[in-house]
Amino acid sequence: MCRPKMSQRSFTESAGRVMSKILMKDLASISTRINAEFKQYKAMLMVCTGTGCVAAKGFDVRDALSRAIRERGLQDTFLVVGTGCNGFCAMGPIVVVQPEGIFYQKVSEEDIPEIVAQHLIGGEPVERLMHRDPVSGAINRTMDEIKFFSKQQLIALRNKGLIDPENIDHYIARGGYESIRNVLESVSPDEVIKEILTSAIRGRGGGGFPAGVKWQSAKEAALERKETPYIVCNADEGDPGAFMDRSIIETDPHTVIEGMMIGAYAIGAKEGFVYLRKEYPLALVRLQKAIDDARACGLLGKSIMGSEFEFDIHIHRGAGAFVCGESTALMASMSGQAGEPRAKYVHNVEYGYRDKPTVLNNVETWANIPVIMDKGARWFASIGTGDVTDNPWGGSSGTKVFSLVGDINNTGLVEVPMGVTLRDIIYDIGGGILNGRAFKAVQTGGPSGGCVPAEKLDMPIDFDSLTEAGSMMGSGGMIVMDDRTCMVDIARYFVSFLMDESCGKCTPCREGLFSLYRTLTRICNGEGREGDIEFLEELAKTVNETSLCQLGGTAGNPVLSTIRYFREEYEEHIRNRRCPAGHCKALISYRISEGNCTGCTLCAKQCPVDAIAGEPKKIHVIDQDTCIKCGICYEVCRFDAVEVQ
Amino acid sequence: MADKIKITIDGKEISVQKGSYLLDAVKKTGVTVPTLCHHKDLTPTGTCRLCLCEVEVRGRRKLVTSCNYPVREEIEVYTNSEPVVNHRKILAEMYLGRWPNVPAIKYVAEMCGITESRFTSNLTDENPQACILCGRCVRACREFALEKIIDFAGRGIKRHLTMPFGEVDPHCIGCTACAFVCPTGAIEIVDDLNHPLDPQMIRDHGMKVNAEMAVLDKDQCRMREVGTANIVDVMDAYDLLPVHNYQFGTHPETWRINSKMLKARYFTQGQADGCWKGCSMACAKTIDDFELKTGPYRGQKVCVDGPEYETAAGAANMGCFDADFLAEFNFYCDTYGIDTISAATTIAFVMESFEAGAITTEHTGGLELHFGATNETLELLHQMADGRGFGVDVGQGIRWLKQKWVKEYGADPDFLHDIGMESKGLETSEYVCKESLAQQAGYGMAIKGPQHDEAWLIFMDMVNNQIPTFEDKAEALHYFPLWRTWFGLMGLCKLCWNDVVPADNYATDEPHKIPEHVDNYFKFFEGMTGIELDESKMLDQSARVYNLQRVMCRMLGYGAREDDHMPYRAMGPVTVKEYESRAERYDKQLKEIIGVDPDGKITEERVGILRRYREDQYEKVMDAVYIRRGWTRNGVPKIERLRELGIDLPELVVIVEKDQE
Ligand SMILES: Cc1cc2nc3c(=O)[nH]c(=O)nc-3n(C[C@H](O)[C@H](O)[C@H](O)COP(=O)(O)O)c2cc1C
Ligand code: SF4
Ligand code: SF4
Ligand code: SF4
Ligand code: SF4
Ligand code: SF4
Ligand code: FES
Ligand code: FES
């Protein structure tokens, strides 16, 4: 039990704002005060300033909006708030008018006067900036009407779009730091661990290891060896196309801090580290500010909130390699050694950072912790699949954030309860396949995940079902692929990524991936041989089962899962020298069908190598020897006259 | 951690040390599994994956690499199950495809039943001495040589070693450890600078020491971690640390200057450091950024080279249990060119004399030189270096001070002789030898005075009781001074002889000589010169020099029996206080060894009886040693002995002639 020691409330300057030390008893009144302040405004204008929207000039939109409001003297009526990512980046920059929830997308500086005049002053929302359902074409006025949002359940991302990540007051107003206050006041460290065990939350970074079990082991090791353990947050996020962790930090950095505080309190750590991917400058700025502010408010450092609890967080910038996200490589990299994995026969919970017991959890895992402590482990465990009452391995509780990309209408970041089906995600939230094409497969779990085919669309997604399907949860990447995707080439693409990212320390991963890549390339080039498929299977299994770390340990998945579900596609390549998806250049040719060609000359003008001959209004012909199979003619022809064979 | 665990390997039960690696257990059962990256003296990294075994832990089967899998619970091991065999085959095939002509790989492939490979590619390297990326050299460079010269670069299939072969990195110390452990011969040694006759012989034996340092030191003397400072803790525990001018052997405040304190708060390098870059023991330690509080460099941050054991023990001898003082004393002694041992022993003598009233502030120029007076001690040191005040006298050493104080201040000569720890004019080094007769003689009979580099016999004599008789002691005092003189003559460091010992040394015939290490030195000599050596040849080589030195001492007026005595402080309790501090032990000796009942005798009487006995013992040991050395009863080499050694040169014979019996 942690007994608060009363101390004088002191004031510190931070980032130009007076920050006062927050004591346990004051937190609730501070929150009430801030909320009352917010209520004085007629509306709050939430401008997305996540990385995606910023790339689309989100900062300009925010500044223009503030300027316009000030120019009209409305600064006491409307409050402009720059928020973190809403997860709908393809639609950015996004502006949401709260509390109604009116949603504007692809807003530019030029749209601002209209929004101010027509909506804010005139009370008439601007329809042309609203979202349209990609399938029905209907206008969605509010966020709730947009299927992309309405089907989600938010825990880790509960504050997205609703707070200014750079303002600690906003987090507090939404109940932030209430969980740690409550824990410090009335929950013992062991009770916290029990609560996390009961919640059955499994790590969101890839392995799906129950967090509670990890915490308990680290605590036991620390007690036995009389060492002070460490807490580490894995924010390396190296999966191509994944951005859930970046978003969480950019959107709500304090939830990660609060989660780590609770973990530190539970296991007795005094120091924590965030291993942050090098290429995340905005996340770095926001997290650093959040840490500085928390420190200035007495939420980090000694005697936190007036209690005896002591904890601080430091940011460690990543070394820029995918494998550095692997737990042992991460610890090595943090210690200034080469970021290479080591055997995990002795775990980090016993000998981790600086050889001390260390708990490493993913950003999203940490972000869930305050909510679990707030709403209760049973509530959390009731969400999701399986029975986790006695055994966290019995199912998958809570929600998971996925990054939805590929040939899909609504790309973005979504948080859904464990157990929703792929169909829900792809068709409801994702709005279906781009251009109305057919769904072929979805690659989940990052580069070393697997491809799940259409027949599994109704499979409820959780850690175990994905593994069973030959893929994995990984950190939550989802790449949707339509019928024009060649599965052999997809396997080759992921193997090539992994081959480049392999550290090369152990033989099966180093030599095996190279050989898988060579064989797949041969097949794509139409030089496949009988026995190749069996060789790929045999080799991929050995790579999976004998590699030193889980990079190699899962690197066979793209090969194995595509062979499992799309074996005939491999066979077509090898036996008939055909790429059924019409993708592998060596195996296809472009021809112009005499029936459809109108002789519009467009293809001939666009062909980069002048391979198309023909006179206006006459049928065009492709010279196969010159054609480099770039596919441009196929794309540009408006009469479907170019065919792939 | 004496825990043993029972495990089953291919159905056979075997008991192993908890935490030991599975591969060792597998080997013990007689099973051979293929290995490439493993080397018995290097930290296993489990990268070739060939030593794969299947392990069943609590009902679950998994594949592990046996070389780096620590056995921590009861397990069943299958070294040849179907998955193991199949995976190993593919791994062997990968190797064979890339490096088809490397003998180590061909051997492994054959073990796995592989002759053809499906892994031939544009990267296939036909060189039979190709590098196979096992990483042994990288680890050897770190763990043997404490360097990071050779390392991997490039990710994945582009992985390669960074030090280009045939081109010597200027920082490479040329220790050849990397080449020694390489399984393929990929690393070529391009230059053997001193043109030894058999470099391989030298290397093979040198590498053994490197390996012992890498593997054993952390559990033995921790020379890499804390250097000789580790001895402070040991000496204090055995009542051998000189405290207050050798009166006592232990002190409650030793923790303030012991190796734990030095490591935790002072040593800053965080890694081993050495006299020269190639040393794998690297016992030297450093304190960086130490801010001086006194003297000409006051206020400056300096780098302190040390402290080593003798310097720390010297602080204890002066009663200065303060590591800040220790560092400052160490720095200024080094900077002034003053030997820390002589300075500390002299000052300890001055302090005891001061406390006993033999001298007063009148003589010390006002310095209150009590034990533990750190500021005054530093002031005295500065005076010594500057040639100021009392420092001028103290700088002359104990023998000179005794004479002056007796003559000029009327001090009690007997007391000063008893407590002034010098012999032949040299101050004694920092060990209490009261309970070891052999060490008293080791100090007293050393040619150039009481330092311990001729013989350090305390543990052998007092703790392990390995040399109980006079003859045993004489043998030790014949052998060790000659042995130590010999490697000194060769310019070889002593520490790799006995500051690390082979794991099975205890099982040899003469563990105190550490025969395997003596043999290393012989092989260094033979590898260099081509001359084969054994113990008697070595002793003859050394004895020529040793006897020549003794004759020269005689010529200078020091080399006779009367010069080989030690002050009584080295042999037993001088004062009542000293006796009473260990009354139980001394009383027991009176009763059991001397046969006198101490009851009813006042302490002064007991001190006297013990003294007479011990002085007599010392004379007896001298007799025995002189006989063994072939010297006269007066401690002078016999002409016969010189003849035997082939050094009966007329110039020498002339000197010793008059001493012959
Ligand atoms: C090659 C590789 C890369 C990984 N990268 C990440 C990463 O970027 N972020 C992450 O949180 N976990 C990553 N992991 C998983 C971590 O090793 C570790 O399991 C995780 O951070 C533990 O936290 P969790 O239990 O909360 O998921 C990676 C694992 C492997 C094998
Ligand atoms: S599996 Fe790959 S990434 Fe992992 S240690 Fe081996 S070579 Fe490196
Ligand atoms: S673009 Fe199509 S229709 Fe036009 S010339 Fe080319 S093939 Fe014919
Ligand atoms: S595929 Fe490309 S290169 Fe070939 S004809 Fe069409 S546009 Fe020209
Ligand atoms: S010779 Fe010694 S220092 Fe040089 S690379 Fe080899 S192991 Fe390292
Ligand atoms: S040089 Fe030799 S020891 Fe070093 S990695 Fe290559 S094969 Fe192994
Ligand atoms: S950055 Fe604005 S929605 Fe992602
Ligand atoms: S010998 Fe064990 S992995 Fe190489």
Side-chain angles (χ1 to χ4, degrees):
Chain A
M1 263 299 279
C2 202
R3 273 240 168 96
K5 265 199 244 151
M6 290 309 158
S7 68
Q8 204 62 42
R9 203 165 172 201
S10 62
F11 293 86
T12 338
E13 274 287 304
S14 164
R17 217 163 60 90
V18 177
M19 296 264 173
S20 54
K21 297 259 185 231
I22 297 172
L23 297 177
M24 290 192 218
K25 63 176 171 55
D26 302 334
L27 192 66
S29 57
I30 294 173
S31 166
T32 315
R33 197 198 70 223
I34 301 165
N35 276 309
E37 267 169 36
F38 288 164
K39 285 223 180 67
Q40 288 168 4
Y41 295 98
K42 187 169 160 206
M44 302 206 347
L45 312 172
M46 318 307 272
V47 185
C48 183
T49 53
T51 294
C53 289
V54 166
K57 302 203 164 148
F59 280 141
D60 293 347
V61 170
R62 182 194 61 188
D63 298 342
L65 194 54
S66 301
R67 242 187 347 260
I69 284 175
R70 243 182 297 116
E71 276 162 14
R72 298 186 177 234
L74 295 173
Q75 60 270 28
D76 295 330
T77 317
F78 299 102
L79 180 66
V80 177
V81 177
T83 73
C85 175
N86 281 281
F88 212 14
C89 313
M91 302 297 159
I94 285 168
V95 178
V96 183
V97 184
Q98 295 287 16
E100 307 138 278
I102 301 289
F103 180 90
Y104 294 130
Q105 65 184 31
K106 299 198 173 165
V107 179
S108 68
E109 255 186 276
E110 293 82 63
D111 299 326
I112 300 299
E114 195 178 343
I115 295 179
V116 174
Q118 189 181 320
H119 182 177
L120 301 184
I121 298 174
E124 193 56 45
V126 185
E127 225 166 66
R128 79 175 171 85
L129 294 171
M130 288 177 179
H131 182 75
R132 276 167 193 275
D133 189 278
V135 183
S136 70
I139 286 182
N140 299 139
R141 295 173 62 84
T142 64
M143 261 179 135
D144 293 346
E145 287 173 25
I146 303 173
K147 273 195 190 152
F148 178 81
F149 292 112
S150 61
K151 296 264 172 168
Q152 298 190 38
Q153 178 174 1
L154 305 181
I155 297 179
L157 291 172
R158 65 194 178 283
N159 291 328
K160 74 168 182 186
L162 297 175
I163 63 167
D164 174 357
E166 296 189 21
N167 190 331
I168 191 169
D169 286 352
H170 284 222
Y171 182 67
I172 293 174
R174 301 257 314 152
Y177 291 111
E178 261 304 322
S179 292
I180 182 69
R181 184 206 50 77
N182 182 47
V183 161
L184 288 176
E185 215 163 63
S186 55
V187 190
S188 75
D190 285 335
E191 280 164 357
V192 175
I193 293 184
K194 229 177 110 206
E195 199 67 6
I196 299 303
L197 273 170
T198 310
S199 80
I201 181 170
R202 289 165 68 173
R204 270 38 174 165
F209 192 85
V213 177
K214 201 185 271 187
W215 293 18
Q216 189 156 36
S217 314
K219 180 159 194 176
E220 279 164 11
L223 282 178
E224 195 185 310
R225 297 198 356 246
K226 297 197 178 61
E227 301 271 23
T228 308
Y230 289 117
I231 291 266
V232 182
C233 170
N234 191 342
D236 196 41
E237 199 164 50
D239 292 16
F243 56 108
M244 28 272 156
D245 295 344
R246 189 194 73 207
S247 271
I248 291 173
I249 294 179
E250 287 178 5
T251 306
D252 196 4
H254 287 283
T255 189
V256 180
I257 297 176
E258 190 178 357
M260 290 176 75
M261 288 169 76
I262 295 170
Y265 172 79
I267 69 162
K270 287 197 166 58
E271 253 183 304
F273 300 87
V274 179
Y275 188 88
L276 185 68
R277 183 179 164 139
K278 212 173 169 183
E279 296 88 350
Y280 283 176
L282 187 58
L284 174 69
V285 170
R286 294 210 171 138
L287 185 61
Q288 190 60 61
K289 172 141 193 348
I291 291 172
D292 292 344
D293 288 353
R295 221 178 265 145
C297 289
L299 296 165
L300 288 176
K302 289 194 171 36
S303 88
I304 289 171
M305 293 174 124
S307 74
E308 281 168 9
F309 176 50
E310 173 190 343
F311 179 62
D312 211 338
I313 298 177
H314 311 279
I315 299 177
H316 196 107
R317 298 196 63 188
F322 175 61
V323 76
C324 285
E326 193 278 339
S327 56
T328 56
L330 182 145
M331 307 273 161
S333 162
M334 271 177 59
S335 314
Q337 292 152 4
E340 283 178 8
R342 61 158 175 80
K344 290 222 275 189
Y345 302 137
V346 176
H347 293 287
N348 284 323
V349 290
E350 289 179 73
Y351 290 89
Y353 182 51
R354 295 179 181 150
D355 277 344
K356 302 282 189 288
T358 305
V359 161
L360 173 74
N361 276 125
N362 166 259
V363 171
E364 190 185 333
T365 314
W366 289 118
N368 272 288
I369 303 296
V371 187
I372 296 176
M373 294 313 293
D374 177 34
K375 299 203 175 172
R378 292 201 187 284
W379 165 81
F380 189 86
S382 72
I383 306 167
T385 61
D387 178 7
V388 294
T389 344
D390 303 316
N391 173 11
W393 293 104
S396 308
S397 60
T399 58
K400 177 77 192 86
V401 181
F402 292 97
S403 77
L404 203 53
V405 297
D407 305 325
I408 190 161
N409 278 314
N410 297 337
T411 57
L413 207 65
V414 302
E415 182 172 4
V416 292
M418 297 278 187
V420 300
T421 63
L422 280 170
R423 189 182 299 283
D424 290 338
I425 298 184
I426 294 166
Y427 287 95
D428 281 357
I429 296 174
I433 306 304
L434 217 48
N435 302 325
R437 299 203 70 100
F439 169 83
K440 183 165 186 181
V442 56
Q443 149 89 9
T444 74
S448 50
C451 292
V452 182
E455 71 229 46
K456 300 265 176 191
L457 269 175
D458 290 309
M459 178 178 84
I461 319 175
D462 65 15
F463 285 106
D464 307 316
S465 62
L466 280 171
T467 308
E468 213 162 282
S471 180
M472 59 189 203
M473 177 74 84
S475 54
M478 260 192 200
I479 304 171
V480 178
M481 296 174 279
D482 69 15
D483 55 355
R484 286 189 303 178
T485 318
C486 169
M487 298 319 276
V488 184
D489 186 61
I490 278 293
R492 191 181 72 106
Y493 168 78
F494 286 118
V495 165
S496 130
F497 173 85
L498 292 165
M499 180 177 77
D500 289 342
E501 293 296 332
S502 154
C503 78
K505 185 171 178 173
C506 73
T507 314
C509 176
R510 183 186 64 231
E511 308 291 328
L513 286 176
F514 176 64
S515 197
L516 284 175
Y517 176 75
R518 275 172 54 89
T519 310
L520 289 165
T521 304
R522 229 178 352 91
I523 297 175
C524 288
N525 285 343
E527 293 155 14
R529 297 192 283 257
E530 276 312 317
D532 274 351
I533 300 180
E534 292 69 23
F535 175 66
L536 286 172
E537 282 181 308
E538 192 186 359
L539 178 54
K541 273 188 206 141
T542 294
V543 172
N544 267 6
E545 281 170 45
T546 66
S547 285
L548 192 156
C549 85
Q550 282 306 304
L551 188 149
T554 51
N557 288 351
V559 179
L560 291 170
S561 69
T562 48
I563 296 181
R564 174 168 163 190
Y565 297 116
F566 303 95
R567 194 179 191 103
E568 44 334 308
E569 214 168 314
Y570 278 82
E571 286 165 354
E572 278 295 300
H573 280 76
I574 296 170
R575 296 196 186 137
N576 302 329
R577 306 282 184 242
R578 232 175 61 80
C579 172
H583 179 89
C584 294
K585 281 186 193 170
L587 301 180
I588 55 168
S589 57
Y590 290 94
R591 281 179 207 281
I592 293 170
S593 93
E594 297 183 7
N596 290 358
C597 178
T598 63
C600 75
T601 73
L602 188 58
C603 58
K605 284 193 193 118
Q606 301 271 343
C607 174
V609 289
D610 281 339
I612 304 176
E615 314 231 318
K617 308 231 167 102
K618 299 229 171 93
I619 292 168
H620 283 51
V621 182
I622 296 175
D623 172 16
Q624 295 299 333
D625 291 339
T626 318
C627 172
I628 56 165
K629 298 171 186 175
C630 72
I632 289 176
C633 52
Y634 178 79
E635 297 290 338
V636 298
C637 177
R638 278 172 297 197
F639 306 98
D640 276 344
V642 182
E643 295 170 342
V644 195
Q645 283 173 343
Chain B
M1 281 249 300
D3 309 14
K4 291 266 180 184
I5 303 183
K6 277 210 176 90
I7 63 172
T8 334
I9 298 177
D10 297 336
K12 250 190 254 167
E13 204 170 84
I14 164 170
S15 160
V16 300
Q17 188 75 38
K18 187 174 176 178
S20 65
Y21 292 118
L22 178 56
L23 182 64
D24 299 335
V26 168
K27 280 186 183 162
K28 248 194 246 167
T29 56
V31 176
T32 314
V33 296
T35 61
L36 274 180
C37 65
H38 181 257
H39 184 282
K40 68 178 176 42
D41 299 319
L42 297 170
T43 308
T45 46
T47 56
C48 77
R49 316 302 288 169
L50 281 161
C51 65
L52 223 55
C53 286
E54 218 179 351
V55 161
E56 190 174 320
V57 194
R58 279 167 276 136
R60 271 192 332 160
R61 278 204 181 197
K62 58 180 182 186
L63 288 163
V64 303
T65 40
S66 56
C67 65
N68 65 340
Y69 182 82
V71 181
R72 305 169 96 199
E73 55 200 322
E74 284 184 15
I75 50 173
E76 276 185 47
V77 184
Y78 306 91
T79 67
N80 245 324
S81 64
E82 200 189 314
V84 167
V85 170
N86 290 342
H87 289 311
R88 262 194 216 142
K89 275 195 162 113
I90 297 213
L91 291 168
E93 212 185 318
M94 288 178 187
Y95 272 113
L96 197 64
R98 186 141 180 214
W99 298 290
N101 298 321
V102 171
I105 283 176
K106 288 208 275 197
Y107 174 77
V108 161
E110 203 183 301
M111 269 178 89
C112 300
I114 294 293
T115 47
E116 299 279 307
S117 174
R118 291 167 289 178
F119 290 81
T120 307
S121 75
N122 54 323
L123 295 182
T124 298
D125 183 348
E126 305 283 347
N127 179 1
Q129 296 197 322
C131 166
I132 60 167
L133 307 176
C134 72
R136 288 193 201 180
C137 53
V138 176
R139 281 173 278 154
C141 189
R142 290 186 188 187
E143 295 172 24
F144 283 16
L146 306 165
E147 291 288 342
K148 287 182 180 172
I149 304 294
I150 207 166
D151 207 344
F152 289 115
R155 284 212 292 247
I157 197 72
K158 302 199 182 95
R159 191 175 176 91
H160 61 279
L161 278 173
T162 45
M163 190 161 115
F165 305 122
E167 226 178 276
V168 179
D169 178 316
H171 303 285
C172 167
I173 56 177
C175 72
T176 72
C178 49
F180 182 76
V181 297
C182 177
T184 72
I187 301 175
E188 200 190 333
I189 298 161
V190 289
D191 196 1
D192 279 309
L193 282 174
N194 295 326
H195 309 294
L197 274 169
D198 187 350
Q200 194 57 39
M201 177 180 277
I202 298 175
R203 212 167 281 131
D204 286 351
H205 289 79
M207 287 307 157
K208 279 200 315 194
V209 181
N210 284 347
E212 283 166 5
M213 281 317 298
V215 177
L216 303 171
D217 178 57
K218 54 186 177 292
D219 299 318
Q220 292 185 0
C221 296
R222 299 184 298 139
M223 299 303 279
R224 286 180 164 188
E225 195 186 320
V226 290
T228 58
N230 79 80
I231 315 177
V232 176
D233 318 24
V234 181
M235 290 304 126
D236 186 65
Y238 281 94
D239 203 14
L240 294 167
L241 182 75
V243 171
H244 295 179
N245 194 30
Y246 304 87
Q247 292 181 74
F248 316 110
T250 178
H251 196 276
E253 285 183 88
T254 303
W255 63 270
R256 293 183 191 277
I257 55 165
N258 72 4
S259 66
K260 276 190 212 74
M261 171 63 94
L262 292 172
K263 184 179 179 216
R265 296 270 205 74
Y266 289 85
F267 294 149
T268 42
Q269 300 218 327
Q271 60 165 56
D273 181 9
C275 306
W276 63 292
K277 267 193 108 189
C279 180
S280 64
M281 181 170 282
C283 65
K285 294 289 161 286
T286 302
I287 304 171
D288 285 314
D289 289 331
F290 181 77
E291 193 175 324
L292 296 167
K293 295 194 200 70
T294 70
Y297 301 108
R298 174 205 323 231
Q300 289 190 29
K301 285 195 172 165
V302 299
C303 165
V304 183
D305 183 6
E308 290 202 47
Y309 165 72
E310 302 268 314
T311 308
N317 216 356
M318 297 182 287
C320 297
F321 294 93
D322 174 346
D324 274 352
F325 162 83
L326 170 56
E328 186 135 355
F329 182 77
N330 188 335
F331 173 83
Y332 274 118
C333 280
D334 289 357
T335 305
Y336 291 147
I338 293 174
D339 155 39
T340 56
I341 302 178
S342 300
T345 300
T346 306
I347 295 170
F349 163 72
V350 170
M351 286 171 162
E352 190 177 352
S353 306
F354 183 84
E355 294 213 334
I359 53 166
T360 64
T361 45
E362 212 175 290
H363 309 111
T364 66
L367 290 175
E368 297 270 359
L369 284 165
H370 293 286
F371 285 118
T374 51
N375 294 335
E376 290 77 0
T377 302
L378 290 169
E379 172 55 25
L380 186 57
L381 187 64
H382 298 312
Q383 287 184 5
M384 252 190 249
D386 283 357
R388 281 187 286 120
F390 187 46
V392 176
D393 283 7
V394 177
Q396 312 291 328
I398 295 176
R399 185 167 274 204
W400 191 93
L401 287 173
K402 286 192 297 194
Q403 281 162 5
K404 171 164 178 174
W405 296 351
V406 171
K407 212 160 51 191
E408 295 181 22
Y409 310 156
D412 171 6
D414 290 343
F415 178 66
L416 294 190
H417 283 307
D418 280 351
I419 67 160
M421 285 289 279
E422 62 85 16
S423 170
K424 301 188 176 82
L426 183 74
E427 283 68 26
T428 309
S429 75
E430 308 297 337
Y431 295 97
V432 170
C433 57
K434 280 179 207 163
E435 306 312 314
S436 165
L437 180 56
Q439 186 59 36
Q440 292 158 21
Y443 271 145
M445 302 175 82
I447 299 241
K448 59 182 177 280
Q451 39 73 41
H452 57 271
D453 79 3
E454 280 193 13
W456 198 88
L457 306 172
I458 299 184
F459 265 49
M460 216 182 278
D461 188 26
M462 171 188 131
V463 181
N464 303 331
N465 202 21
Q466 287 163 320
I467 44 174
T469 67
F470 288 117
E471 285 67 34
D472 294 336
K473 293 187 206 307
E475 183 58 37
L477 284 163
H478 170 65
Y479 175 83
F480 287 104
L482 291 182
W483 162 235
R484 286 174 174 249
T485 296
W486 183 83
F487 59 60
L489 289 170
M490 297 301 144
L492 295 167
C493 172
K494 162 259 167 193
L495 301 197
C496 47
W497 164 54
N498 72 347
D499 277 79
V500 63
V501 299
D504 54 1
N505 183 56
Y506 65 91
T508 57
D509 290 344
E510 295 179 297
H512 53 293
K513 287 188 181 172
I514 315 171
E516 194 183 321
H517 282 185
V518 172
D519 186 57
N520 285 347
Y521 285 79
F522 291 174
K523 291 298 192 304
F524 297 153
F525 184 84
E526 185 182 341
M528 204 67 213
T529 62
I531 301 168
E532 223 180 296
L533 216 55
D534 58 21
E535 181 173 300
S536 89
K537 283 189 199 148
M538 175 279 286
L539 290 176
D540 278 352
Q541 284 187 351
S542 183
R544 279 185 202 109
V545 177
Y546 197 80
N547 281 279
L548 176 66
Q549 287 177 339
R550 184 70 176 182
V551 175
M552 287 164 79
C553 282
R554 187 67 191 126
M555 181 178 80
L556 296 170
Y558 286 95
R561 190 178 186 111
E562 59 172 341
D563 304 302
D564 287 349
H565 286 91
M566 284 297 283
Y568 188 64
R569 172 58 54 75
M571 301 165 67
V574 173
T575 63
V576 168
K577 191 168 103 195
E578 231 177 313
Y579 187 101
E580 282 171 353
S581 74
R582 297 161 169 182
E584 204 178 323
R585 174 189 298 163
Y586 296 140
D587 285 349
K588 192 165 165 233
Q589 283 183 8
L590 287 187
K591 210 177 332 183
E592 290 174 9
I593 298 175
I594 308 176
V596 176
D597 187 358
D599 286 346
K601 293 198 168 54
I602 60 163
T603 310
E604 278 86 347
E605 280 178 282
R606 299 184 201 184
V607 169
I609 296 166
L610 191 67
R611 180 169 186 152
R612 276 191 295 284
Y613 172 75
R614 289 191 171 194
E615 283 177 346
D616 177 54
Q617 292 279 301
Y618 189 82
E619 295 301 326
K620 287 192 174 131
V621 100
M622 284 170 89
D623 288 340
V625 173
Y626 289 152
I627 291 169
R628 183 64 189 85
R629 288 183 180 174
W631 293 358
T632 67
R633 260 189 59 80
N634 192 32
V636 178
K638 292 185 180 163
I639 293 173
E640 269 166 73
R641 177 69 177 138
L642 298 183
R643 191 173 305 130
E644 217 174 272
L645 293 169
I647 54 168
D648 51 341
L649 312 171
E651 314 66 329
L652 303 187
V653 171
V654 150
I655 298 166
V656 298
E657 227 161 18
K658 56 183 178 308
D659 290 306
Q660 302 299 309
E661 284 147 356

